[in-house]
């Protein structure tokens, strides 16, 4: 392959043929509990803890700004940003969990209170509405 290639091209191929090995680094987020497995009370407890930690970090940031500690300011800013990102994820997860609970409760109540004929008519109407919405019109 390299018989008639220039030295720079040979070097280019050698350098670019090196496969980058995947590097496994643990980050702080790896130690946090997985949101998908958290219940609503666990999410609320985690949210309270994060709000408390974020408040402490903000107070430390004020102190670092008073002391003009540029290194501390950047580190605390990143910590606060991490807390804010995690809080956003938790808030979104809590919203979907609450929505799922609300939907499941409504569905259980409807199934419990309606007779079979009415339930079948509701399902048929839902299918008609969904097909109309997918087609772009409203039935």
């Amino acid at each position: 392959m390299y018989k008639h290639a220039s030295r720079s091209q040979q070097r280019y191929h050698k350098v670019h043929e090196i496969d980058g090995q995947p590097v496994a680094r643990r980050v702080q987020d790896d130690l946090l509990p997985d949101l998908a497995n958290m219940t609503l009370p666990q999410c609320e407890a985690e949210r309270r803890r994060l709000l408390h930690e974020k408040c402490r970090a903000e107070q430390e940031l004020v102190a670092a700004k008073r002391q003009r500690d540029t290194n501390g300011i950047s580190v605390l800013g990143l910590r606060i940003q991490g807390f804010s990102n995690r809080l956003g994820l938790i808030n979104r997860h809590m919203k979907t969990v609450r929505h799922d609970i609300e939907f499941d409760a409504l569905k259980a109540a409807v199934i419990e209170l309606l007779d079979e004929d009415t339930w079948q008519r509701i399902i048929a109407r839902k299918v008609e509405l969904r097909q109309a919405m997918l087609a772009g019109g409203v039935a």
Side-chain angles (χ1 to χ4, degrees):
M1 173 177 175
Y2 298 116
K3 190 172 188 181
H4 300 289
S6 66
R7 286 192 187 273
S8 61
Q9 191 176 16
Q10 291 176 17
R11 184 179 179 285
Y12 176 82
H13 284 153
K14 286 180 185 175
V15 169
H16 287 86
E17 284 177 358
I18 299 172
D19 292 333
Q21 295 296 319
V23 178
R25 290 191 182 107
R26 295 201 63 154
V27 293
Q28 186 177 3
D29 291 344
D30 293 340
L31 304 175
L32 295 173
D34 185 28
L35 286 178
N37 299 327
M38 291 178 75
T39 62
L40 195 58
Q42 290 172 335
C43 286
E44 290 171 351
E46 179 74 7
R47 185 174 184 275
R48 281 191 303 271
R49 184 188 70 78
L50 285 171
L51 285 172
H52 178 71
E53 290 292 325
K54 183 180 174 189
C55 183
R56 281 184 42 200
E58 287 171 346
Q59 291 171 352
E60 291 175 12
L61 180 64
V62 169
K65 284 182 178 180
R66 283 188 191 136
Q67 295 173 355
R68 295 189 175 130
D69 179 16
T70 56
N71 215 10
I73 291 171
S74 62
V75 168
L76 289 168
L78 290 173
R79 280 184 58 202
I80 291 170
Q81 183 180 6
F83 290 142
S84 297
N85 291 342
R86 180 70 175 179
L87 278 168
L89 292 173
I90 287 179
N91 288 338
R92 189 171 9 158
H93 180 69
M94 287 174 63
K95 184 177 179 181
T96 58
V97 167
R98 283 190 187 116
H99 179 267
D100 292 346
I101 289 171
E102 185 72 25
F103 178 75
D104 290 343
L106 178 66
K107 183 178 170 183
V110 167
I111 289 172
E112 185 178 305
L113 295 176
L114 292 179
D115 60 359
E116 184 65 31
D117 183 49
T118 308
W119 180 244
Q120 292 303 322
R121 287 190 351 225
I122 290 172
I123 291 174
R125 180 66 180 148
K126 179 194 75 138
V127 169
E128 290 174 9
L129 288 173
R130 184 179 64 211
Q131 288 173 349
M133 288 178 182
L134 288 174
V138 178

